[in-house]
Amino acid sequence: MPSFRSKNLTRATLSAGLSVVALSSSAFAQDAAQQSSADSSPGVAEIVVTAQFREQKLQDTPIAITAVDSAMLEARSQSNLTEVANQAPSVVLRPTTAAFGPSISATIRGMGQIDFNPALEPGVGLYIDDVYYPRLTGANFDLLDVERIEVLRGPQGTLTGRNSEGGAIKFISRRPTGEGGGYVSATYGSRNRINLRGSADFKLAEGLFGRLSGTFADQEGYVKNIDYGCANPASGVPTRAGGTNCVVSKQGDVGYKALRGILRYNPSDAVDIMVSGDYNRDSRNNSAEVLLFGSNSNPNVQTSNGVPFDSRFICGTFCNYATTGSTAGTFVAGAIPPLQGLPMPAVSSDGRTEYKGWGVAANADFKLNDDLQLQSITAYREFDTSFSSDTDLSPANIGFGISQLDSWFVSQELRLNAKIGTFADLTVGGYISDEKTTYYTLQDIRYVAIALPTGPLPLFPLQFIGNDPVRSKSKAAFATAIVHPTEALTVTLGGRYTHESKDYTFFRFNLDGKTINGFLDPVGAANGIGYSGPNGTALSGRTGSYAGNKFDYRVSVDYRFSPQILAYGTVSTGFKGGGIAPRPFNAAQAVPFGPEKLTAFELGLKTDLFDRKVRFNVSAYFNKFKDAQLTLLSCPQFGGPGPCAVPQNAGDADVKGVEFELNLRPIEGLQIDASASFLDWNWKCVVPAVVNPAGATSGCSTDPALVSQLVAPPRGVSKSQWSIGAQYEALLGSAGSITPRIDVARQGAIAGTATVPVAGSASARFSTAEAYTLANARLTWRNADKDLDISLEVTNLFNEYYFLSKFDLSGAGAGVVSGLPGRPREWAVSVKKKF
C-alpha cells in the first residue's frame, strides 16, 4: 500500500498538472504558426539540447532535463560543477572531505556514489562533449567556456549508457565558428581571491577554425590549520616548525589553472570535425575540515607525549589542529601480548592536494546524405593525483593516510543517425572503453581494538602500503527509434546491451614497500606474493575479477496536446556495475559485490504558456531499486574484528519523487526561476548481515526489525530541496543597464551513516550534514554596447554556517567525526570585456 507521503507526492503532481491545463485553456486556441513566432518574443529563451543523439528543443524532449546556458551560470556566480546542483531538482553534488581527495559525491534521484575509489562506479554519468568521464576524482569541473550544461534526471541506460542509473550531466563546449571575438575577465575578492579568464575564437583558413580558452584561480583558505603545541604550550605537545600566530596553513584555499583548445574543420554541411585538448592542474592545501567529535582511550593513539585523544582537540568553527603525519612510537599490546613494544615508524606528507589531468578528443560528424549521419567520438584522458588525510585532525595518532592515483582512460563511440521521412528517427551505435588506475596508499591506523565495556582492547597496529592496479573494460551496442505515428504522438524505443569487466589486484606491504604485512596478509607474509596452496591464499598478488552483462531498455510515449503542452510517460532501466571490495583489511574481506539495478517509471508535463512567458515543467517518478550497494564499516562476518570498508549489495527499495521547474518572464527585463524536488525512500528488504554482523550474507529479509535499521534515504541523498532566483535588467539609455539578481537555495539534510545510529551516540549527534539555505546576490552594470560588464557579487549573503559533507569513523572504532564546512560569506568584483 502506498505510504501517506507517496500519496501526497502523487496528489501534488496531479494538482500541478491540472493547474497547468486550466491555466492554458486559452492558449489551446493558438495555432502552431503563432507559437513558432514566439521565438522572437521576450519570453523564456529556447534551449536546444542533444539528450537523444540529435538536436531537439528542450521542451520537445521527453526527458526531465535541467538545461543551463553560460549566461545564467554567470548570472548565478557559478564557476564549478557542484554549484550547478543548487538549482537542479533531485541533484546532490558536493565536494568530499580530505580522506577522499579532490573528488565529489554525486547523486540524482537518490542514485549515485560518494566514494572515489576506482573499484566503484559513479552512478551518475559525467560527459564532456559526449565523452564519458569515468571517475569522481577531479570531477568538480571548472565551467570553462561552456555553452550550456544539461542535467538529465532518471536512468540514461540506453542513451548515455555507462553507469548512468541516476542520470547524466553533460558539458557542451562553445564550438569555434571562425567569426572571431572572445572575452577576458578578471575578478578580485575575499581573502585575496584572483580569477582570470579568457577565450578567443579565430579563423585559420577557409573551413578551419580554432578556439582557445584558459582560466586561473587563486584564493587563501578559510579554515586555519593551527599548531596545537604552539597554541597550547602547557600541553607539552611538541610544536611544528613555522606558522605565524601558531597558524601553519589555511585550508580550503584555491589554486587552479586550466587551458583548453579546439580545432574545428567544417568545410561544408557534410563534414564537421572537432579536435580538442585540455589541461588542468589543482594545487592547494588539504580540504577544509573541522573536528566535531573526538574520543578514543586506546593508549596507542595518544600524542607523542601521552595526551589522550578527546574533545580538547576540537578547535572551533573554522580551525583544526591537523598534522602532516604521525609520530613514531611503540605498540601497547592488549589482546596479543607478544606485540608489546613493537616499533611503529613515523609517517609524514606535505599536507597538500595535487591534481593534474589532460585529455584529447575528436568528435566527427559526417552527413552521408540528407537522411544519414555518421558520428565518431574518440577520446583519451589521463590524470594523476596525490593527497593525504589526518583522520583525527589533531597531533594524536589515530590514523593518517596518503593516497596517489594514476589513471588513463580511452574510449571510442560510433553512431549512425537515420531519418525515415517524417515517420521516424533512428540511431544505432557501439561503444568501447578501456581504463587502468593504479591506487597507491600508505595507511597508518593505530586504533584497531576489540570494543569492551571497560574500553578498547588494543589488537594490532596497521601500518601498510597498498599499490593496487585496477583495470576496467566496457563494450556496448545500442539503438534508439523515435517514431511519429501522428503529428502529435511520438513513441521512443531504446535498447542497450553492455558487457563490462573489472580486475583488481591487491598488494599489502609493510612501510618498506617490499615485505608483506603480516597483520593484513599472514598467508602472503609466510609464503610469498601470489601464494595459493594448502596454507591458504595470499591477499597480496591476488586478483579479484568481476564481469557482467546487462540489457537496458527505454520505452517512452509523448503527446503534444498543443504547441504549448507536451505530456510524456516513460519506463526505463539502468544499472551501476559491480566489482570487488577494494579496501580489504584481511583476505576474507576481498569479496565481490554485484551491480545494482533500477527500473524507473516516470510521468512528465512540459509547458510554455502565455506567449512563452511562463514555462512550467513537472515530473513524477517511481523507482524499483534492487541490490543497492552500501559500504559496511563493521563486518566481523568477514574475518573477525578490525577495520572494515566492504561494499555489499544491501537490499531493495522503492523510491518515489516529484520535481518542479518554473521559469517566468512576466515583463521585459524581469526573470524569475524556481525549482523544487521531494523524494520518498522506502527500503523493502535488507540482507541481514548488513545490519546484523551475525546475520546471513545472502537473501533479502523483509523483517521490519531489520529493514528499519537502514537509513532512508542513504548517504549522499537529500529528501528535499528548492531554489528561487530573480533578476531585473533596468535600461539606463546611453549609460547601459544595471541588473540586480538574488538567488536563494535550500539543500536538505544528508545522513552520515549507512545504518540508523544508536540514540545518543556520536553518530546520532554529529554525523548528519544538516539542511541549509544559502543566498547569493549579484549586481551587474553593462554598457550600451554590451561589451563591458562590471559585477559585484556576494555569496553566502547571510553568512550561514553549514556542512557540505561529513566523515564518520566513530562506528568503526576510531572515535572521530569530522566535517567540511562550507565557505563563509565572500564578496568579489569582476570586470569582463568582450571583443
Side-chain angles (χ1 to χ4, degrees):
M1 177 178 291
S3 68
F4 175 76
R5 181 172 176 82
S6 67
K7 288 180 180 178
N8 285 346
L9 292 177
T10 303
R11 289 171 182 164
T13 306
L14 291 174
S15 298
L18 290 173
S19 298
V20 170
V21 173
L23 283 169
S24 60
S25 59
S26 62
F28 282 179
Q30 299 177 7
D31 59 24
Q34 286 179 296
Q35 180 64 18
S36 64
S37 67
D39 286 349
S40 60
S41 73
V44 179
E46 196 66 78
I47 297 180
V48 175
V49 298
T50 55
Q52 296 192 122
F53 302 134
R54 51 187 38 83
E55 292 186 346
Q56 293 176 290
K57 292 181 180 179
L58 174 67
Q59 295 300 89
D60 289 339
T61 308
I63 299 174
I65 305 176
T66 298
V68 189
D69 62 18
S70 58
M72 183 56 69
L73 292 171
E74 185 174 321
R76 290 172 173 165
S77 302
Q78 295 174 334
S79 60
N80 58 59
L81 174 59
T82 56
E83 294 170 345
V84 175
N86 292 336
Q87 281 78 27
S90 301
V91 180
V92 179
L93 305 175
R94 298 194 181 183
T96 58
T97 55
F100 286 1
S103 65
I104 64 171
S105 65
T107 64
I108 297 179
R109 292 183 174 177
M111 309 292 121
Q113 184 56 263
I114 61 175
D115 194 338
F116 74 95
N117 195 288
L120 306 172
E121 300 302 330
V124 171
L126 302 175
Y127 294 82
I128 303 175
D129 295 328
D130 283 336
V131 174
Y132 180 59
Y133 189 91
R135 296 291 128 228
L136 295 175
T137 299
N140 193 16
F141 304 126
D142 185 274
L143 306 181
L144 173 63
D145 211 25
V146 298
E147 178 181 298
R148 68 182 183 278
I149 294 176
E150 300 174 10
V151 181
L152 285 60
R153 304 189 297 277
Q156 306 299 316
T158 66
L159 295 171
T160 57
R162 276 199 65 188
N163 300 302
S164 299
E165 60 171 356
I169 301 174
K170 301 177 66 176
F171 290 73
I172 291 85
S173 302
R174 295 182 185 272
R175 288 181 167 231
T177 63
E179 297 175 355
Y183 73 92
V184 292
S185 69
T187 300
Y188 182 81
S190 300
R191 299 189 311 279
N192 293 318
R193 172 184 170 183
I194 297 174
N195 291 84
L196 302 174
R197 288 175 176 267
S199 181
D201 186 286
F202 44 87
K203 183 176 180 179
L204 297 170
E206 193 63 34
L208 182 62
F209 319 122
R211 190 173 185 92
L212 188 64
S213 52
T215 183
F216 170 87
D218 188 80
Q219 186 180 23
E220 294 178 2
Y222 60 97
V223 169
K224 293 180 180 179
N225 174 220
I226 296 175
D227 184 329
Y228 183 82
C230 171
N232 300 273
S235 69
V237 174
T239 62
R240 290 177 286 158
T244 302
N245 298 324
C246 301
V247 176
V248 178
S249 64
K250 294 182 180 179
Q251 298 174 343
D253 55 324
V254 177
Y256 185 88
K257 55 180 70 73
L259 186 67
R260 181 175 178 82
I262 302 176
L263 284 176
R264 183 185 180 192
Y265 180 58
N266 184 212
S268 68
D269 291 341
V271 176
D272 195 348
I273 300 174
M274 189 171 74
V275 178
S276 61
D278 65 85
Y279 170 83
N280 62 89
R281 182 177 182 184
D282 186 3
S283 177
R284 53 183 169 81
N285 293 316
N286 283 344
S287 297
E289 285 187 276
V290 300
L291 184 64
L292 303 174
F293 172 81
S295 179
N296 194 321
S297 59
N298 189 326
N300 293 294
V301 307
Q302 297 175 352
T303 66
S304 59
N305 67 321
V307 177
F309 178 70
D310 54 29
S311 60
R312 79 187 72 204
F313 295 116
I314 297 176
C315 181
T317 54
F318 287 111
C319 67
N320 65 47
Y321 297 120
T323 62
T324 55
S326 293
T327 56
T330 57
F331 186 69
V332 178
I336 308 178
L339 297 181
Q340 179 71 35
L342 182 72
M344 295 185 294
V347 298
S348 64
S349 76
D350 60 5
R352 293 187 60 79
T353 294
E354 300 285 346
Y355 176 91
K356 297 179 183 178
W358 66 272
V360 292
N363 296 59
D365 292 352
F366 302 99
K367 186 177 179 181
L368 305 180
N369 58 43
D370 289 343
D371 299 321
L372 284 177
Q373 178 194 29
L374 179 65
Q375 294 177 290
S376 172
I377 304 165
T378 309
Y380 178 85
R381 178 162 292 277
E382 283 190 11
F383 76 79
D384 62 82
T385 183
S386 62
F387 53 93
S388 63
S389 172
D390 180 16
T391 302
D392 47 86
L393 299 173
S394 78
N397 294 296
I398 285 181
F400 190 85
I402 301 172
S403 297
Q404 298 175 5
L405 287 87
D406 296 291
S407 179
W408 57 258
F409 175 81
V410 61
S411 64
Q412 173 64 54
E413 184 169 355
L414 288 174
R415 303 173 189 163
L416 181 65
N417 296 326
K419 189 174 184 64
I420 305 176
T422 60
F423 178 71
D425 298 294
L426 305 177
T427 298
V428 295
Y431 172 88
I432 186 170
S433 68
D434 191 4
E435 176 189 14
K436 182 179 180 181
T437 302
T438 301
Y439 180 20
Y440 169 92
T441 182
L442 184 155
Q443 294 293 323
D444 186 358
I445 301 173
R446 305 187 185 186
Y447 62 81
V448 182
I450 300 173
L452 298 176
T454 56
L457 181 65
L459 195 56
F460 48 74
L462 283 183
Q463 293 184 301
F464 68 92
I465 286 174
N467 195 25
D468 303 347
V470 187
R471 190 71 177 267
S472 302
K473 297 181 180 181
S474 180
K475 299 177 182 178
F478 54 88
T480 294
I482 303 175
V483 184
H484 312 283
T486 70
E487 186 175 354
L489 177 66
T490 300
V491 178
T492 303
L493 304 172
R496 188 182 190 103
Y497 173 81
T498 301
H499 172 77
E500 60 178 13
S501 62
K502 182 173 295 181
D503 295 327
Y504 197 113
T505 303
F506 303 97
F507 294 97
R508 294 294 180 265
F509 299 111
N510 292 312
L511 296 190
D512 60 10
K514 299 177 181 178
T515 58
I516 297 176
N517 186 285
F519 299 115
L520 296 174
D521 186 9
V523 174
N527 300 279
I529 291 176
Y531 174 83
S532 180
N535 297 326
T537 301
L539 176 60
S540 297
R542 178 192 299 187
T543 297
S545 297
Y546 158 80
N549 303 316
K550 184 69 168 61
F551 178 77
D552 284 311
Y553 65 85
R554 176 171 177 254
V555 179
S556 181
V557 178
D558 63 86
Y559 188 82
R560 183 161 287 286
F561 290 95
S562 75
Q564 295 79 31
I565 294 183
L566 176 77
Y568 67 89
T570 301
V571 180
S572 58
T573 64
F575 80 103
K576 182 171 73 175
I580 307 296
R583 297 185 179 97
F585 291 95
N586 57 58
Q589 291 183 4
V591 292
F593 58 92
E596 56 184 28
K597 301 174 284 291
L598 179 69
T599 302
F601 305 85
E602 180 175 345
L603 295 175
L605 192 66
K606 294 191 170 187
T607 70
D608 276 330
L609 309 174
F610 308 116
D611 198 20
R612 229 171 57 219
K613 289 182 172 62
V614 177
R615 173 172 292 172
F616 179 69
N617 295 343
V618 58
S619 55
Y621 59 89
F622 174 72
N623 290 345
K624 298 292 291 184
F625 187 37
K626 295 183 66 66
D627 301 324
Q629 297 170 3
L630 295 180
T631 298
L632 310 184
L633 295 180
S634 176
C635 54
Q637 68 270 37
F638 295 119
C644 174
V646 175
Q648 286 290 279
N649 297 103
D652 303 342
D654 288 347
V655 185
K656 312 175 188 72
V658 62
E659 302 159 341
F660 305 91
E661 290 187 285
L662 176 67
N663 295 271
L664 301 176
R665 304 295 185 268
I667 60 174
E668 188 170 357
L670 177 62
Q671 301 181 25
I672 302 173
D673 311 286
S675 68
S677 59
F678 307 90
L679 176 147
D680 184 31
W681 186 291
N682 290 290
W683 289 105
K684 307 304 292 183
C685 68
V686 60
V687 176
V690 173
V691 296
N692 177 12
T697 58
S698 61
C700 206
S701 172
T702 58
D703 182 353
L706 296 177
V707 175
S708 62
Q709 293 183 49
L710 284 179
V711 169
R715 287 182 294 175
V717 181
S718 172
K719 288 184 178 180
S720 64
Q721 56 199 81
W722 57 262
S723 71
I724 185 168
Q727 69 181 54
Y728 179 73
E729 183 182 23
L731 300 180
L732 305 177
S734 60
S737 66
I738 190 166
T739 304
R741 181 175 178 89
I742 184 76
D743 286 284
V744 181
R746 174 79 170 180
Q747 296 288 309
I750 294 180
T753 57
T755 56
V756 177
V758 176
S761 66
S763 292
R765 289 181 289 156
F766 300 106
S767 70
T768 297
E770 300 293 346
Y772 60 87
T773 303
L774 296 182
N776 297 337
R778 188 180 182 99
L779 183 66
T780 301
W781 172 82
R782 181 172 292 114
N783 69 349
D785 293 333
K786 297 185 177 182
D787 61 359
L788 177 64
D789 296 356
I790 301 176
S791 301
L792 170 65
E793 67 178 65
V794 181
T795 54
N796 193 1
L797 183 63
F798 301 109
N799 208 25
E800 175 94 354
Y801 186 74
Y802 64 101
F803 287 95
L804 291 164
S805 56
K806 292 188 176 180
F807 190 48
D808 182 4
L809 282 178
S810 60
V816 175
V817 182
S818 61
L820 176 63
R823 308 185 81 82
R825 179 169 53 222
E826 298 179 345
W827 62 269
V829 175
S830 299
V831 179
K832 181 177 182 179
K833 173 64 177 176
K834 300 176 183 177
F835 55 87

